[in-house]
Amino acid sequence: MKLRQILTVTFCTVALLSAVNMQAARSKTQHLLLLYPGTVAGAHLARGQYRVKCETSGTIAKLTFVLHRKVIATVEGQVVNRNQHYMNNEVIYKTKSNGTRVITEIRFASPNQVVVFKD
């Protein structure tokens, strides 16, 4: 009887820890339209329709940009929680004095989160 209880508790603990680990490193793929070419965290992205795989762990996000089934860039940013809901995925650019654009943040509609990048 004791062995059965120990096995039950062990199984429940393993199942709970597995669920926690799956939530800790969430991964979601989104579609993102870049209307303008720009750089993000040092990587150059041409304009186009990208698939973006976003893996988050705490406040760190790892984004992989895929264009025409080819990985173009993998960058890291910081997840920032805002009390605003976005209807669509949005790309926020900053234009430098020489006319080039830098992507400073990406706002995802689902889930409502913002990934901010350093210049």
Side-chain angles (χ1 to χ4, degrees), residues 1 7 9 13 22 26 30-31 34 36 40-41 51-52 58 72-73 76 78 83 90 106 110 112 118:
M1 189 65 167
L7 289 175
V9 168
T13 303
M22 288 175 65
R26 292 185 192 171
Q30 300 273 349
H31 291 277
L34 295 184
Y36 308 101
V40 58
R51 252 182 350 135
V52 180
I72 304 300
E76 285 190 359
Q78 183 176 1
N83 291 331
E90 300 175 12
I106 296 176
S110 176
N112 286 312
K118 294 180 182 177

Side-chain angles (χ1 to χ4, degrees), residues 52-90:
V52 180
K53 181 179 178 187
C54 181
E55 297 178 29
T56 59
S57 180
T59 61
I60 301 297
K62 179 179 170 186
L63 278 69
T64 302
F65 293 84
V66 178
L67 182 64
H68 306 298
R69 297 183 182 191
K70 181 180 175 188
V71 174
I72 304 300
T74 300
V75 299
E76 285 190 359
Q78 183 176 1
V79 177
V80 176
N81 293 320
R82 297 197 179 138
N83 291 331
Q84 186 170 354
H85 297 280
Y86 302 102
M87 297 298 291
N88 301 303
N89 294 339
E90 300 175 12

Side-chain angles (χ1 to χ4, degrees), residues 13-24:
T13 303
V14 168
L16 180 64
L17 289 175
S18 295
V20 168
N21 284 337
M22 288 175 65
Q23 285 295 330

